[in-house]
Amino acid sequence: MKLPPDPVTDDKSPGVPGFRTWRGVYLFVFAVFVAVVVLLALFSRLFA
Amino acid sequence: MNTLDWIVLLITMIGIAAYGAWHTRHTDQLDTYLKGSKTTRWGTIGISVMATQASAITFLSIPGQGFESGIGFVQNYFGLPLALIIVSALFLPIYRKLGVYTAYEFLGQRFDAKTRLLGAGLFLLQRGLAAGVTIYAPAIILATVLGWRLDLTIIATGVLVIIYTVTGGSAAVSLTQKWQMSIIFGGMVTAFFILIARLPPGLGLGGATHVAGAMGKLQAVDFSLNPDRRYTLWTGLFGGLFLSLSYFGTDQSQVQRYIGGAALREGRLGLMFNALLKIPMQFSILLLGALLFVFYQFQPAPVFFNRVEWQQNAGGTNAVVFHALEDRNAALHVLKQEKIQAWLDARNHGDTVAEPAARAAMLEAQAATEAVRNEARAALTAANPLAQTKDSDYVFIGFILDQLPHGVIGLLIAVMIAAALGSKAGELNALGTTTTIDLWRHFRPLAAHDEARNVRAAKWLTALWGLVAIAFALFAGFSENLIEAINIIGSIFYGVVLGIFLVAFFLKSVGGTAVFWAAVAAQTMIFALYLLRHRFPVLDISYLWYNLIGCAACVMFSLMLQTLLPRKPKLAVQNP
């Protein structure tokens, strides 16, 4: 059976200033997500 | 609506549709028709992904959710950024490398024809059902409050979207969505600032936010582990992750938005654009709803926001009961306003002794108002058992019509219709593509080489799905909150479809027959869970969990069946 080929390697430059790899972009997006959730939790507490 | 509103509405809606159709009228290559222009950049892809997900219901129902239940619904989107990272890193590169038109072609190459047909069939079933809702939902609300004929509203919006989607395919969808989203952002920001300006003098955004918070509308994150609670951090993270992973990774209406474009980079950045912006965007819309709640603490608020439904049932023998409820609501409103002002005074003076008592009195007044609103719903049901008793979808549209100046009313109605057209176009485009590629070409393999015939088939099938959606919207009735109705339909199917794809990506030892029957068993189980939830209270769980349960069941059943079934080597790879 033919299996799907492996994804394109992740080391190609995303072409985004400040980021050399896609891994860096994903980590940035994840960090922003965590920060947003923390801010929302603080927002809930502040206005409770 | 006056003439100015109609001019704004018609120019924006017909103008965008005509521009999209005219600009893409010569699209005769299958690749461009189904995947969009090869020069599409990440911004267009990102907006297209956003516009496909954000239907009119997003802008009609979500402010109502914020008004009624607070901003906790934002947790529903917590799994989305994580899902988009996974789709960008794993799913998208495979789709692009295989050069598929649909996600289900990948299943055909990885497993077999029957699994591909099952995946495509589940998509067509759930998206076809949802397509009816996305056209019906805004039409019923707009027709009710504006006095338009429901059937003509459904037909007019349906025909408009069919024209440009059939003409230019995916290229027209992306192009029009870009302009429609501009209208949407412009309109929503305008409504937000007008709402702030209409708050009582001296209250301002800060004071209104404190009132909303004190009245329990700003609980954005709930850490509760109680499975009965529909929106918590955990349902959002886990259920939402699986829902989003399935929607963005395996639903053709989204896959089609990002598999095209100039390069892999464009699709990935388009997805990351959504990963960053979606939660803030949903938060803003919910916050608008919470601020509407505050606005109506200082302005006369109807006892029931669907005023047309209320008036239609307020005659005859019901008049006495209905008027009594209106009078009690008005009296309680005045009392509550005094209590809120007393709380604000205590808070502003830093009176830590009076503040807790004032807050308790304010919440008590709010509870009394809610009790009258519940009585109003009961009275409405007693008067007419078929009456719509959920009025939160009418809060924002009521504000638009009552409080905004002419011209801006037209713009906000255009926002609702633009959102309806944008999401509808993405859906029709995907339904037509899947039917063409996974069904029509599958059963007519010789036609695969005739590009012009393929484009013609895709156009006819897209139009056919548009007509099916219009017919479904004309003859169906939906009673639940509209955005939840779509999410529930999605959650019933998405988990299993995601399970099939996860097996395809990560469990290379599992073959087509095992995953096919595992998916059938898992889907049957989810149907049973949903249908029996009222009979057995233990099964009455948040619908978001269906995504996780369906996915886990499909994966586990696949592994179990694979150990029982003899594995046949695949002799030939399916033609895409």
Side-chain angles (χ1 to χ4, degrees):
Chain A
M1 188 175 75
K2 185 183 173 186
L3 294 172
D6 289 327
V8 174
T9 50
D10 220 13
D11 55 2
K12 287 189 178 174
S13 170
V16 180
F19 295 97
R20 286 191 299 172
T21 64
W22 281 106
R23 191 184 299 269
V25 174
Y26 298 145
L27 280 173
F28 171 76
V29 172
F30 182 73
V32 171
F33 162 67
V34 172
V36 166
V37 173
V38 169
L39 285 173
L40 284 173
L42 288 174
F43 180 84
S44 306
R45 180 158 294 191
L46 183 66
F47 291 103
Chain B
M1 281 180 69
N2 69 4
T3 308
L4 178 63
D5 295 319
W6 276 106
I7 290 170
V8 172
L9 175 62
L10 293 177
I11 284 180
T12 49
M13 290 304 93
I14 296 176
I16 291 172
Y19 172 73
W22 179 260
H23 205 74
T24 58
R25 68 192 184 283
H26 296 309
T27 307
D28 51 7
Q29 289 182 314
L30 188 65
D31 205 54
T32 309
Y33 191 80
L34 299 186
K35 291 185 182 175
S37 167
K38 285 194 175 67
T39 59
T40 307
R41 306 304 300 267
W42 66 267
T44 304
I45 292 174
I47 287 171
S48 190
V49 166
M50 187 176 274
T52 299
Q53 189 185 20
S55 66
I57 300 162
T58 305
F59 302 98
L60 283 167
S61 279
I62 290 188
Q65 286 254 1
F67 177 94
E68 189 86 2
S69 315
I71 63 172
F73 187 69
V74 74
Q75 295 167 109
N76 205 27
Y77 299 90
F78 280 2
L80 185 145
L82 308 176
L84 288 178
I85 290 172
I86 295 170
V87 171
S88 172
L90 297 176
F91 288 45
L92 174 56
I94 291 179
Y95 292 150
R96 278 194 72 100
K97 194 161 190 177
L98 292 178
V100 292
Y101 289 116
T102 74
Y104 319 108
E105 277 186 278
F106 161 67
L107 295 180
Q109 296 190 32
R110 166 65 178 87
F111 294 121
D112 51 28
K114 66 177 179 297
T115 311
R116 174 186 180 180
L117 288 175
L118 178 67
L122 288 176
F123 166 72
L124 292 174
L125 185 61
Q126 69 91 6
R127 190 47 61 187
L129 287 172
V133 180
T134 49
I135 204 163
Y136 171 87
I140 178 71
I141 295 169
L142 295 175
T144 302
V145 296
L146 296 169
W148 298 348
R149 273 182 57 179
L150 177 61
D151 52 355
L152 290 183
T153 309
I154 289 171
I155 291 167
T157 50
V159 168
L160 192 62
V161 75
I162 287 172
I163 289 170
Y164 71 80
T165 308
V166 168
T167 304
S170 213
V173 172
S174 300
L175 188 65
T176 49
Q177 282 175 331
K178 201 161 58 175
W179 288 102
Q180 285 158 347
M181 283 306 282
S182 307
I183 298 287
I184 289 168
F185 280 127
M188 292 304 282
V189 168
T190 306
F192 193 88
F193 280 108
I194 292 177
L195 172 61
I196 301 301
R198 296 283 164 96
L199 288 169
L203 187 65
L205 179 60
T209 313
H210 279 291
V211 172
M215 298 183 88
K217 300 295 180 186
L218 297 183
Q219 185 67 37
V221 185
D222 181 353
F223 293 94
S224 168
L225 291 169
N226 184 349
D228 293 335
R229 294 212 181 172
R230 186 165 272 190
Y231 304 115
T232 67
L233 175 71
W234 316 112
T235 59
L237 275 179
F238 295 105
L241 170 65
F242 279 80
L243 176 66
S244 299
L245 198 54
S246 190
Y247 176 58
F248 288 102
T250 73
D251 187 309
Q252 180 62 18
S253 63
Q254 280 298 348
V255 173
Q256 197 157 359
R257 307 274 72 79
Y258 60 74
I259 56 171
L264 174 65
R265 170 187 181 273
E266 310 303 328
R268 280 180 155 172
L269 288 179
L271 291 173
M272 291 305 97
F273 170 85
N274 279 270
L276 289 172
L277 287 188
K278 188 67 186 180
I279 294 177
M281 179 182 133
Q282 297 303 126
F283 169 76
S284 304
I285 300 171
L286 283 162
L287 184 64
L288 177 75
L291 293 176
L292 273 173
F293 172 81
V294 177
F295 174 82
Y296 279 115
Q297 305 311 304
F298 295 96
Q299 294 285 331
V303 68
F304 190 74
F305 276 87
N306 184 349
R307 281 171 260 199
V308 175
E309 184 83 64
W310 183 258
Q311 291 300 332
Q312 280 174 351
N313 294 285
T317 54
N318 303 317
V320 176
V321 176
F322 278 44
H323 285 309
L325 284 165
E326 287 170 2
D327 291 344
R328 280 174 61 202
N329 179 62
L332 282 170
H333 185 79
V334 173
L335 180 71
K336 187 168 58 168
Q337 213 169 321
E338 289 169 8
K339 302 292 183 193
I340 293 171
Q341 197 55 57
W343 177 74
L344 279 170
D345 291 342
R347 187 183 163 276
N348 291 340
H349 290 110
D351 189 340
T352 53
V353 178
E355 193 271 345
R359 178 192 288 244
M362 177 176 73
L363 293 176
E364 200 177 321
Q366 170 59 15
T369 305
E370 276 307 312
V372 172
R373 275 172 50 76
N374 285 334
E375 280 184 50
R377 292 187 186 105
L380 201 56
T381 306
N384 175 10
L386 298 176
Q388 291 263 355
T389 56
K390 190 162 182 63
D391 64 340
S392 60
D393 292 336
Y394 292 84
V395 174
F396 186 41
I397 190 75
F399 169 79
I400 290 169
L401 295 174
D402 290 346
Q403 303 293 331
L404 300 191
H406 285 295
V408 180
I409 292 176
L411 178 68
L412 264 294
I413 302 298
V415 166
M416 307 304 169
I417 296 180
L421 297 182
S423 59
K424 185 86 239 142
E427 281 177 346
L428 290 187
N429 191 215
L431 287 164
T433 300
T434 304
T435 316
T436 306
I437 299 297
D438 295 301
L439 297 183
W440 184 76
R441 281 206 339 181
H442 179 76
F443 293 110
R444 291 174 179 268
L446 292 177
H449 305 290
D450 185 344
E451 185 158 331
R453 194 175 167 198
N454 276 259
V455 173
R456 279 201 305 276
K459 288 187 175 190
W460 278 109
L461 289 166
T462 303
L464 183 67
W465 275 109
L467 295 175
V468 168
I470 290 173
F472 185 57
L474 284 174
F475 298 111
F478 304 95
S479 58
E480 280 199 78
N481 182 297
L482 297 166
I483 194 161
E484 288 199 344
I486 285 189
N487 281 339
I488 290 169
I489 291 172
S491 294
I492 287 172
F493 293 97
Y494 275 153
V496 176
V497 176
L498 178 62
I500 299 173
F501 276 83
L502 290 186
V503 171
F505 283 124
F506 300 113
L507 299 176
K508 296 185 176 179
S509 63
V510 177
T513 302
V515 78
F516 176 85
W517 289 111
V520 171
Q523 191 62 68
T524 308
M525 192 181 87
I526 295 295
F527 278 138
L529 273 177
Y530 181 71
L531 295 174
L532 297 175
R533 70 193 188 287
H534 293 314
R535 196 164 177 182
F536 302 102
V538 71
L539 300 180
D540 195 8
I541 54 175
S542 168
Y543 65 84
L544 285 173
W545 291 113
Y546 294 153
N547 295 284
L548 195 150
I549 295 168
C551 179
C554 182
V555 172
M556 279 196 303
F557 293 167
S558 297
L559 286 168
M560 288 159 61
L561 277 173
Q562 190 56 53
T563 61
L564 300 174
L565 290 170
R567 179 116 178 271
K568 291 178 186 171
K570 192 176 175 186
L571 297 176
V573 173
Q574 296 291 313
N575 285 326

